[in-house]
Amino acid sequence: MTVPISRRSLLLSGAGAAAAAALPKSLAAQPARARWQVVVVGAGVFGAWTAKKLQEAGRNVLLVDAWGPAHARASSGGESRMTRGSYGGDEVYTRMALESLSEWRALSAHAGLPIFHQLGVLFFFPRPDPFLEETMRVHRRLGLPTELLGAGALRRRFAQIAFTDSDIGLFEPGFGALMARRAVQTLVADFVRAGGHYRQAAIRPPGSGRALEALTTTGGDTIHGERFVFACGPWLGRVFPDLLGRRIFPTRQEVYFFAPEPGDTRYEPGRLPGWADFNGGDIYYGFPDLEGRGFKIAHDAHGPPMDPDTGDRTLTPAMLADARAFMARRFPDLAARPLSEARVCQYENSSNGDFLIDRHPQWDNVVLVGGGSGHGFKHGPAVGRYAAALVRGELRSPEPRFSLATKAEVEARAVH
């Protein structure tokens, strides 16, 4: 049967003392409802923000997850995510990142431990590039203080990185890193403290019929609702195999953390920003030694297909070697440093990198939210607001790019 989450398991070890102190002493006494106004399935960044926004609009909401907020296999799990406004000409995502940033700052301000680190974000390119030029046009139009830097300025300001004579970069001083697991767990804690309800339960895929009125858990429980949101990340295709099984593409991604030399402060926050290297379209990105976890690096290329339940999460020696080879070119002083930790996670890609936020084509009371495509975490507050407005029937101008109709069955990534 469905088991209410405890205070201990909700917060785990990283959500922060302030959030823990704010939760009710016991959630076991939460009243059961015969029928919820909204049931949100999936307590990742998209589902948690959607539940929170619906709660703020006065709805009674049940948030359900099979393993817990930001669990180890979730796309919202792990340590850090980049927040940035550089999207080339895709102004819709720049605006969403800006809209979300203020809410991340507010969540961070009361979380006890920081959720947002304003590191700044540096993008660099081997030569002037259309992505860079379009980004600067959008940022100037929006009044962002983004700086365009030539090779000399890059070398003076960021001596840890081995730039070439032709490199060009842009620096976003107001953005940085989000602590992913801590952020989602704190958000769910806030949701519960404000009267929301969370259940840990695995949901069976809905059957067919004219309308969806209830969900069944693997434990045999029934959850009745008026409206439903499915924000299941890489499991969306499992929940709706006929509709989304060939439109959501989970891929295997490896993330590495390397230990700097003892006492070497060059890779600390404040000295090194978050960064991404657009070197001939082959993108690596990472963070400084954030909260003592080590220098982070990852390859932003879609890996092989990944089963989120059974996929192998051990490291691939060839991919680790590729990361070290990149570091030898750009961060030579770190190339031979020991690996302090690593993680295998997954993206859940749409066909083109645009989000999926749309109604189910047969059930008007069901909203589908997903397709984070590796860049979605930062947009959580804006996605939640958009999805909540769609649930409430208050979205006046839906964004065509988020529609199910634009999600093909062949991957052709267009959003970076």
Coordinates of all heavy atoms in Angstrom, one line a residue, residues 213-266:
E213 N -9.5 8.8 -14.3 CA -10.1 9.2 -13.0 C -9.3 8.7 -11.8 O -9.5 9.2 -10.7 CB -11.5 8.6 -12.9 CG -12.4 9.2 -14.0 CD -13.8 8.7 -13.9 OE1 -14.0 7.7 -13.2 OE2 -14.7 9.2 -14.6
A214 N -8.4 7.7 -12.0 CA -7.6 7.2 -10.9 C -6.4 6.5 -11.4 O -6.3 6.1 -12.6 CB -8.5 6.2 -10.1
L215 N -5.4 6.4 -10.5 CA -4.2 5.7 -10.7 C -4.1 4.5 -9.8 O -4.6 4.6 -8.7 CB -3.0 6.6 -10.5 CG -2.9 7.9 -11.4 CD1 -1.7 8.7 -10.9 CD2 -2.7 7.5 -12.9
T216 N -3.4 3.5 -10.2 CA -3.2 2.3 -9.4 C -1.7 2.2 -9.1 O -0.9 2.3 -10.0 CB -3.7 1.0 -10.1 OG1 -5.1 1.2 -10.5 CG2 -3.5 -0.2 -9.2
T217 N -1.4 1.9 -7.8 CA 0.0 1.7 -7.5 C 0.4 0.3 -7.6 O -0.5 -0.6 -7.6 CB 0.3 2.2 -6.0 OG1 -0.4 1.2 -5.1 CG2 -0.3 3.6 -5.8
T218 N 1.6 0.0 -7.6 CA 2.1 -1.4 -7.7 C 1.7 -2.2 -6.4 O 1.7 -3.4 -6.4 CB 3.6 -1.5 -7.9 OG1 4.3 -0.7 -6.9 CG2 4.0 -0.9 -9.3
G219 N 1.4 -1.4 -5.3 CA 1.0 -2.1 -4.1 C -0.5 -2.3 -4.0 O -1.0 -2.8 -3.0
G220 N -1.2 -2.0 -5.1 CA -2.6 -2.2 -5.1 C -3.5 -1.1 -4.6 O -4.7 -1.2 -4.6
D221 N -2.9 0.0 -4.3 CA -3.7 1.2 -3.8 C -4.3 1.9 -5.0 O -3.7 1.8 -6.1 CB -2.8 2.1 -3.0 CG -3.6 3.1 -2.2 OD1 -4.8 2.9 -2.1 OD2 -3.0 4.1 -1.7
T222 N -5.3 2.7 -4.8 CA -6.0 3.5 -5.8 C -5.9 4.9 -5.4 O -6.3 5.3 -4.3 CB -7.4 3.1 -6.1 OG1 -7.4 1.7 -6.5 CG2 -8.0 3.9 -7.2
I223 N -5.5 5.8 -6.3 CA -5.4 7.2 -6.1 C -6.3 7.9 -7.1 O -6.1 7.9 -8.3 CB -3.9 7.8 -6.2 CG1 -3.0 7.1 -5.2 CG2 -3.9 9.3 -6.0 CD1 -1.5 7.4 -5.4
H224 N -7.4 8.5 -6.5 CA -8.3 9.2 -7.4 C -8.0 10.7 -7.5 O -7.5 11.3 -6.5 CB -9.7 9.1 -6.7 CG -10.3 7.7 -6.7 ND1 -10.9 7.1 -7.7 CD2 -10.2 6.8 -5.7 CE1 -11.3 5.9 -7.4 NE2 -10.8 5.7 -6.1
G225 N -8.2 11.3 -8.7 CA -7.9 12.7 -8.9 C -8.8 13.3 -9.9 O -9.4 12.6 -10.8
E226 N -8.9 14.6 -9.9 CA -9.6 15.3 -10.9 C -8.7 15.6 -12.1 O -9.1 15.5 -13.3 CB -10.1 16.6 -10.4 CG -11.1 16.5 -9.2 CD -11.6 17.8 -8.6 OE1 -11.2 18.8 -9.2 OE2 -12.2 17.7 -7.5
R227 N -7.4 15.9 -11.8 CA -6.5 16.2 -12.9 C -5.1 15.5 -12.5 O -4.8 15.3 -11.3 CB -6.3 17.7 -13.1 CG -7.6 18.4 -13.5 CD -7.4 19.9 -13.9 NE -8.6 20.5 -14.3 CZ -9.1 20.4 -15.5 NH1 -8.4 19.8 -16.5 NH2 -10.2 21.0 -15.8
F228 N -4.3 15.3 -13.5 CA -3.1 14.5 -13.3 C -2.0 15.2 -14.1 O -2.2 15.6 -15.3 CB -3.2 13.1 -13.8 CG -4.3 12.3 -13.0 CD1 -5.6 12.3 -13.4 CD2 -4.0 11.6 -11.9 CE1 -6.6 11.6 -12.8 CE2 -5.0 10.9 -11.2 CZ -6.3 10.9 -11.6
V229 N -0.8 15.2 -13.5 CA 0.4 15.6 -14.2 C 1.4 14.5 -14.2 O 1.7 14.0 -13.1 CB 1.0 16.9 -13.6 CG1 2.3 17.3 -14.3 CG2 0.0 18.1 -13.6
F230 N 2.0 14.1 -15.3 CA 3.1 13.1 -15.3 C 4.4 13.8 -15.7 O 4.5 14.3 -16.8 CB 2.7 12.0 -16.3 CG 1.5 11.2 -15.9 CD1 0.2 11.6 -16.2 CD2 1.7 10.0 -15.2 CE1 -0.8 10.8 -15.8 CE2 0.7 9.2 -14.8 CZ -0.6 9.6 -15.1
A231 N 5.3 13.9 -14.7 CA 6.6 14.5 -14.9 C 7.6 13.4 -14.5 O 8.3 13.6 -13.6 CB 6.7 15.8 -14.1
C232 N 7.7 12.4 -15.3 CA 8.4 11.2 -15.0 C 9.8 11.0 -15.5 O 10.4 10.0 -15.5 CB 7.6 9.9 -15.3 SG 5.9 10.0 -14.7
G233 N 10.3 12.1 -16.1 CA 11.7 12.1 -16.6 C 11.9 11.0 -17.6 O 11.1 10.8 -18.6
P234 N 13.0 10.2 -17.5 CA 13.3 9.1 -18.4 C 12.3 8.0 -18.4 O 12.3 7.1 -19.2 CB 14.7 8.6 -18.0 CG 14.8 9.0 -16.5 CD 14.0 10.3 -16.4
W235 N 11.4 8.0 -17.4 CA 10.3 6.9 -17.3 C 9.0 7.3 -18.1 O 8.1 6.5 -18.1 CB 10.0 6.6 -15.9 CG 11.1 5.9 -15.2 CD1 11.3 4.5 -15.1 CD2 12.1 6.5 -14.4 NE1 12.4 4.2 -14.4 CE2 13.0 5.4 -13.9 CE3 12.5 7.8 -14.0 CZ2 14.1 5.6 -13.1 CZ3 13.6 8.0 -13.3 CH2 14.4 6.9 -12.8
L236 N 9.0 8.5 -18.7 CA 7.8 8.9 -19.4 C 7.4 7.9 -20.5 O 6.2 7.6 -20.7 CB 7.9 10.3 -20.0 CG 7.4 11.5 -19.2 CD1 7.7 12.8 -20.0 CD2 5.9 11.4 -19.0
G237 N 8.4 7.4 -21.2 CA 8.1 6.4 -22.2 C 7.6 5.1 -21.7 O 6.9 4.4 -22.4
R238 N 7.9 4.8 -20.4 CA 7.4 3.6 -19.8 C 6.0 3.7 -19.4 O 5.2 2.8 -19.4 CB 8.3 3.2 -18.6 CG 9.8 3.0 -18.9 CD 10.0 1.6 -19.4 NE 11.4 1.3 -19.6 CZ 12.2 0.8 -18.7 NH1 11.7 0.7 -17.4 NH2 13.4 0.6 -19.0
V239 N 5.6 4.9 -18.9 CA 4.3 5.2 -18.4 C 3.3 5.2 -19.6 O 2.2 4.8 -19.5 CB 4.2 6.4 -17.6 CG1 2.8 6.7 -17.1 CG2 5.2 6.3 -16.4
F240 N 3.8 5.8 -20.7 CA 2.9 6.0 -21.9 C 3.7 5.4 -23.1 O 4.2 6.1 -24.0 CB 2.6 7.4 -22.2 CG 1.8 8.1 -21.1 CD1 2.4 8.9 -20.1 CD2 0.4 7.9 -21.0 CE1 1.7 9.5 -19.1 CE2 -0.3 8.5 -20.0 CZ 0.3 9.2 -19.0
P241 N 3.8 4.1 -23.1 CA 4.7 3.4 -24.2 C 4.2 3.7 -25.6 O 5.0 3.9 -26.5 CB 4.6 2.0 -23.8 CG 3.4 1.8 -23.0 CD 3.2 3.0 -22.2
D242 N 2.9 3.7 -25.9 CA 2.4 3.9 -27.2 C 2.6 5.3 -27.7 O 2.9 5.6 -28.8 CB 1.0 3.4 -27.3 CG 0.8 2.0 -27.1 OD1 1.7 1.2 -27.3 OD2 -0.3 1.6 -26.7
L243 N 2.4 6.2 -26.7 CA 2.4 7.7 -27.1 C 3.8 8.2 -27.1 O 4.2 9.0 -28.0 CB 1.5 8.4 -26.1 CG 1.4 9.9 -26.3 CD1 0.7 10.2 -27.6 CD2 0.7 10.6 -25.1
L244 N 4.6 7.9 -26.0 CA 5.9 8.5 -25.8 C 7.1 7.6 -25.9 O 8.3 8.0 -25.8 CB 6.0 9.2 -24.5 CG 4.9 10.4 -24.3 CD1 5.0 10.9 -22.9 CD2 5.2 11.4 -25.3
G245 N 6.9 6.3 -26.0 CA 8.0 5.3 -26.0 C 9.0 5.6 -27.1 O 10.2 5.2 -26.9
R246 N 8.6 6.2 -28.2 CA 9.5 6.5 -29.3 C 9.8 8.0 -29.4 O 10.3 8.4 -30.4 CB 9.0 5.9 -30.6 CG 9.0 4.3 -30.6 CD 8.5 3.8 -32.0 NE 7.1 4.2 -32.2 CZ 6.1 3.6 -31.8 NH1 6.2 2.5 -31.0 NH2 4.9 4.0 -32.1
R247 N 9.4 8.7 -28.4 CA 9.5 10.2 -28.5 C 10.4 10.7 -27.4 O 10.8 11.9 -27.4 CB 8.2 10.9 -28.5 CG 7.4 10.7 -29.8 CD 6.1 11.5 -29.8 NE 5.5 11.5 -31.2 CZ 4.7 10.6 -31.7 NH1 4.4 9.5 -30.9 NH2 4.2 10.7 -32.9
I248 N 10.7 9.9 -26.3 CA 11.6 10.3 -25.3 C 12.7 9.4 -25.3 O 12.6 8.2 -25.3 CB 10.9 10.2 -23.9 CG1 9.7 11.2 -23.8 CG2 11.9 10.5 -22.8 CD1 10.1 12.7 -23.9
F249 N 14.0 9.9 -25.4 CA 15.2 9.2 -25.6 C 16.1 9.3 -24.4 O 16.9 10.2 -24.4 CB 15.9 9.6 -26.9 CG 15.0 9.7 -28.1 CD1 14.3 10.9 -28.4 CD2 14.9 8.6 -29.0 CE1 13.5 11.0 -29.6 CE2 14.1 8.7 -30.1 CZ 13.4 9.9 -30.4
P250 N 16.1 8.4 -23.5 CA 17.1 8.4 -22.4 C 18.4 8.0 -22.9 O 18.6 7.0 -23.6 CB 16.5 7.4 -21.4 CG 15.1 7.1 -21.8 CD 15.1 7.3 -23.3
T251 N 19.4 8.8 -22.6 CA 20.8 8.5 -23.0 C 21.7 8.5 -21.7 O 21.5 9.2 -20.7 CB 21.3 9.5 -24.0 OG1 21.2 10.9 -23.4 CG2 20.6 9.4 -25.3
R252 N 22.8 7.7 -21.8 CA 23.7 7.5 -20.7 C 24.8 8.6 -20.7 O 25.4 8.9 -21.7 CB 24.4 6.2 -20.9 CG 25.3 5.7 -19.8 CD 25.9 4.3 -20.2 NE 26.6 3.7 -19.0 CZ 27.8 4.0 -18.7 NH1 28.5 5.0 -19.3 NH2 28.4 3.4 -17.6
Q253 N 25.0 9.3 -19.6 CA 25.9 10.4 -19.5 C 26.8 10.2 -18.3 O 26.4 9.8 -17.2 CB 25.1 11.7 -19.3 CG 24.0 12.0 -20.3 CD 24.5 12.1 -21.7 OE1 23.8 11.6 -22.7 NE2 25.6 12.7 -21.9
E254 N 28.1 10.5 -18.5 CA 29.1 10.3 -17.4 C 29.6 11.7 -16.9 O 29.8 12.6 -17.8 CB 30.3 9.4 -17.8 CG 29.9 8.0 -18.2 CD 31.0 7.1 -18.4 OE1 32.2 7.5 -18.1 OE2 30.8 5.9 -18.8
V255 N 29.7 11.8 -15.6 CA 30.2 13.1 -15.0 C 31.4 12.8 -14.1 O 31.3 11.8 -13.3 CB 29.0 13.8 -14.2 CG1 29.5 15.0 -13.5 CG2 27.8 14.0 -15.1
Y256 N 32.4 13.6 -14.2 CA 33.6 13.3 -13.4 C 34.0 14.5 -12.5 O 33.7 15.6 -12.8 CB 34.8 13.0 -14.3 CG 34.5 12.0 -15.4 CD1 34.4 12.4 -16.7 CD2 34.4 10.6 -15.1 CE1 34.1 11.5 -17.7 CE2 34.2 9.7 -16.1 CZ 34.0 10.1 -17.4 OH 33.7 9.2 -18.4
F257 N 34.6 14.1 -11.3 CA 35.1 15.1 -10.4 C 36.6 14.8 -10.1 O 36.9 13.6 -9.7 CB 34.3 15.1 -9.1 CG 32.9 15.5 -9.3 CD1 32.0 14.6 -9.7 CD2 32.5 16.8 -9.0 CE1 30.6 14.9 -9.8 CE2 31.1 17.1 -9.1 CZ 30.2 16.2 -9.5
F258 N 37.5 15.8 -10.3 CA 38.9 15.5 -10.1 C 39.4 16.4 -9.0 O 39.0 17.5 -8.8 CB 39.7 15.9 -11.4 CG 39.4 15.0 -12.5 CD1 38.4 15.2 -13.5 CD2 40.2 13.8 -12.7 CE1 38.1 14.4 -14.5 CE2 39.9 12.9 -13.8 CZ 38.9 13.2 -14.7
A259 N 40.3 15.8 -8.2 CA 40.9 16.5 -7.0 C 42.0 17.4 -7.4 O 43.0 16.9 -7.9 CB 41.3 15.5 -6.0
P260 N 41.9 18.7 -7.2 CA 43.1 19.6 -7.4 C 44.3 19.3 -6.5 O 44.1 18.5 -5.5 CB 42.6 21.0 -7.2 CG 41.1 20.9 -7.3 CD 40.8 19.5 -6.8
E261 N 45.4 19.8 -6.7 CA 46.5 19.7 -5.8 C 46.2 20.3 -4.4 O 45.4 21.2 -4.4 CB 47.8 20.5 -6.3 CG 48.4 19.9 -7.6 CD 49.4 18.8 -7.2 OE1 49.6 18.5 -6.0 OE2 50.0 18.2 -8.1
P262 N 46.6 19.6 -3.4 CA 46.4 20.2 -2.0 C 46.8 21.7 -1.9 O 47.9 22.0 -2.4 CB 47.2 19.3 -1.1 CG 47.4 18.0 -1.9 CD 47.4 18.4 -3.3
G263 N 45.9 22.5 -1.5 CA 46.3 23.9 -1.3 C 46.2 24.7 -2.5 O 46.4 26.0 -2.5
D264 N 45.8 24.1 -3.7 CA 45.7 24.9 -4.9 C 44.3 25.6 -5.0 O 43.3 24.9 -5.1 CB 45.8 23.9 -6.1 CG 45.9 24.7 -7.5 OD1 45.6 25.9 -7.5 OD2 46.3 24.0 -8.5
T265 N 44.3 26.9 -4.9 CA 43.0 27.6 -4.8 C 42.6 28.2 -6.1 O 41.6 28.8 -6.2 CB 43.2 28.8 -3.8 OG1 44.2 29.7 -4.3 CG2 43.6 28.3 -2.4
R266 N 43.3 27.9 -7.2 CA 43.0 28.4 -8.5 C 41.6 27.9 -9.1 O 41.0 28.5 -9.9 CB 44.1 28.1 -9.5 CG 45.4 28.8 -9.2 CD 46.4 28.3 -10.2 NE 46.7 26.9 -10.1 CZ 47.3 26.2 -11.1 NH1 47.7 26.8 -12.2 NH2 47.5 24.9 -10.9

